[in-house]
Amino acid sequence: MAVVIRLARMGSKHDPKYRVTVADSRRYVTGKFLDILGTYIPTPKGNDKKIELDLAKVEEWIKKGAQPTDRVKHVIKLAQAK
C-alpha cells in the first residue's frame, strides 16, 4: 500500500476548494482517506484563508513514508512561507 498526500476537491462549480488528505494511492481521490491535514482555497473570498495546514501532521506523515504530490509540495511551501 502506497500512502500519498493529495488534494481532494470539495468546492462547487466555478468555486474550487480542496482538502489536503492522506490516503491510499489506490483509492479514488475523493473516497476514503486516512487523515485530513488542512484546506487549500486557490481563490479565497471574504474572510476565507488561502491555506490552513497542520504542518506538524504533514511532517509526521512524511516521516512515516507518505509521498506528497507535486501540487501538495507547492502548497506546503506556501504554508511554510507564512
Side-chain angles (χ1 to χ4, degrees), residues 7-20 39-45 48-51 71:
L7 298 175
R9 186 177 168 128
M10 302 305 293
S12 61
K13 196 175 196 180
H14 303 294
D15 186 23
K17 294 178 177 75
Y18 299 92
R19 278 188 188 158
V20 181
T39 58
Y40 169 59
I41 304 172
T43 55
K45 296 175 184 171
D48 290 342
K49 292 184 181 177
K50 185 169 179 129
I51 300 171
R71 178 55 59 182

Side-chain angles (χ1 to χ4, degrees), residues 4-31:
V4 293
I5 302 173
R6 63 182 171 201
L7 298 175
R9 186 177 168 128
M10 302 305 293
S12 61
K13 196 175 196 180
H14 303 294
D15 186 23
K17 294 178 177 75
Y18 299 92
R19 278 188 188 158
V20 181
T21 61
V22 179
D24 181 353
S25 64
R26 297 171 291 181
R27 293 266 183 198
Y28 186 68
V29 174
T30 56

Side-chain angles (χ1 to χ4, degrees), residues 56-76:
K57 275 188 174 182
V58 171
E59 292 300 321
E60 182 182 323
W61 276 106
I62 290 174
K63 285 180 185 175
K64 289 180 183 178
Q67 296 293 315
T69 61
D70 291 338
R71 178 55 59 182
V72 172
K73 286 179 188 176
H74 178 71
V75 170
I76 292 170

